Amino acid sequence: MSSPQPAKATVLRCPACGQPTGSPPPPKCSLCGFRFGEERVTGADVTPYAASYAGKKRGWHVMCEWVWFAGSGRLKHLALMRASAASTRFARINLLLLALVLALFQTSIHGWSAVSRSTTIDARLEPVGDGWFVAAKVPTDLLAGLAEEAAVTLWWSPVQMIIAVTLGFVLGVTALWLALALVRLGVKMAYVSAYRKEQRMTAALHYATAWSLPVFVGVLIVSLRSIAYVGSIACWSWYPPQHGFELSGAVIVAFGTALWWFWLLRLGSTAPARTRLRVGVFFALGAPLILCGVGAGYWFGLEALCRFVFERAGMAF
């Protein structure tokens, strides 16, 4: 006659974050602060940034590290925090910085025009609009060794550049906040109706903007490629190559974007089992598509708007 198998001990867990608790459970969870017996699962923002914000202290860099190195337990904790004044301010700072560097990126696109000695129809040796100045020219003694299609003069329009930067900043702020709002709406709709009023992950999406920092650095590096424009035409003895700026910046931007996406996938895994698949699919597919769609609208919309303004103001090259 076989001996009876010992019964397995039941592990009691917090219904909010899944943290194991003792038996009997304490008055509140040691990880997320959920008070047992309460119906509401989500709680207030108790992140390090919220604490520093309440004390009027600086804590932006601490919060960035808190997000970057978050483990599964911290992500569960964060997913149950409701958006607050502190999380909104944190997102506002990061998105304003990102909009600023997107505006600076326009300094490497607009306001420059290189011309060659070619006599093709598409080439113009001098601008037809006002406000253009010669920024660099190939030295006269080097002209003979250049091909006909080689650029020999670089024209610069500071007014055109200022207008592009201003429009880029305004549209950048609008596009970034629109992207965040659409992602928040998508997450809300990905939850089944029973969870939609709980404001799950609202603070987490604000704090996810911490991943905009590597994107900021990458775009800033690409924005410096105008140095290569001037150096190549002025025939400096040495200047950083244009593809060096573009390649290094693109790698950093891709790295930051990929980490943001992976962080969202991990965040989606903290959703309740009943709706985890829907939230995970949205973070895997919906959030990147929203980002790409808003980004494409920003890029093509800004180009069309700048072209329209330059032509109406008589500043086109």
Side-chain angles (χ1 to χ4, degrees):
M1 183 173 168
S2 60
S3 59
Q5 296 292 328
K8 294 183 178 180
T10 301
V11 179
L12 300 179
R13 295 182 179 274
C14 171
C17 66
Q19 174 78 357
T21 64
S23 181
K28 65 179 182 178
C29 176
S30 60
L31 177 62
C32 68
F34 172 75
R35 292 186 176 277
F36 298 97
E38 290 185 352
E39 294 182 359
R40 187 174 62 183
V41 173
T42 54
D45 186 351
V46 291
T47 59
Y49 188 78
S52 65
Y53 178 77
K56 296 182 178 180
K57 298 179 181 179
R58 297 180 179 179
W60 176 81
H61 66 287
V62 175
M63 190 62 204
C64 286
E65 294 178 0
W66 200 82
V67 170
W68 294 338
F69 303 107
S72 58
R74 186 182 297 172
L75 281 175
K76 290 179 181 179
H77 188 191
L78 185 58
L80 293 170
M81 295 183 197
R82 298 185 298 274
S84 64
S87 68
T88 303
R89 184 175 185 270
F90 183 83
R92 184 183 299 120
I93 291 174
N94 291 328
L95 295 186
L96 285 176
L97 287 174
L98 195 53
L100 177 61
V101 80
L102 288 175
L104 291 176
F105 177 65
Q106 300 306 313
T107 62
S108 70
I109 301 176
H110 297 287
W112 302 100
S113 187
V115 297
S116 66
R117 294 181 299 172
S118 174
T119 57
T120 59
I121 297 176
D122 294 332
R124 289 197 301 270
L125 298 181
E126 293 188 4
V128 296
D130 298 327
W132 288 89
F133 304 91
V134 175
K137 294 182 68 175
V138 174
T140 305
D141 56 338
L142 299 178
L143 286 174
L146 296 178
E148 281 293 321
E149 64 273 11
V152 296
T153 306
L154 180 66
W155 291 85
W156 176 54
S157 173
V159 178
Q160 189 183 98
M161 185 177 290
I162 291 172
I163 292 175
V165 167
T166 303
L167 293 176
F169 179 75
V170 174
L171 290 184
V173 171
T174 304
L176 290 170
W177 276 108
L178 175 63
L180 180 59
L182 291 176
V183 170
R184 288 187 61 176
L185 178 62
V187 172
K188 180 179 178 180
M189 299 309 296
Y191 277 104
V192 296
S193 57
Y195 298 106
R196 289 177 186 171
K197 294 182 179 180
E198 295 179 345
Q199 302 182 48
R200 290 173 179 260
M201 299 182 182
T202 51
L205 293 177
H206 280 160
Y207 289 122
T209 59
W211 291 108
S212 65
L213 182 57
V215 177
F216 175 91
V217 174
V219 176
L220 181 61
I221 291 174
V222 179
S223 302
L224 299 176
R225 62 182 177 174
S226 54
I227 298 174
Y229 302 163
V230 178
S232 62
I233 294 180
C235 297
W236 292 349
S237 60
W238 183 88
Y239 56 90
Q242 180 179 335
H243 67 269
F245 289 110
E246 295 170 346
L247 180 59
S248 58
V251 168
I252 296 174
V253 169
F255 175 75
T257 305
L259 289 179
W260 166 78
W261 180 67
F262 181 66
W263 193 89
L264 289 183
L265 291 179
R266 294 176 59 215
L267 181 68
S269 67
T270 67
R274 182 181 171 188
T275 192
R276 187 173 300 156
L277 178 61
R278 291 176 48 157
V279 175
V281 169
F282 172 76
F283 279 140
L285 300 176
L289 287 176
I290 288 174
L291 192 64
C292 291
V294 174
Y298 168 79
W299 178 265
F300 293 109
L302 179 59
E303 285 297 306
L305 182 58
C306 285
R307 192 180 309 113
F308 174 80
V309 172
F310 297 157
E311 291 176 356
R312 286 302 180 93
M315 292 183 297
F317 187 79

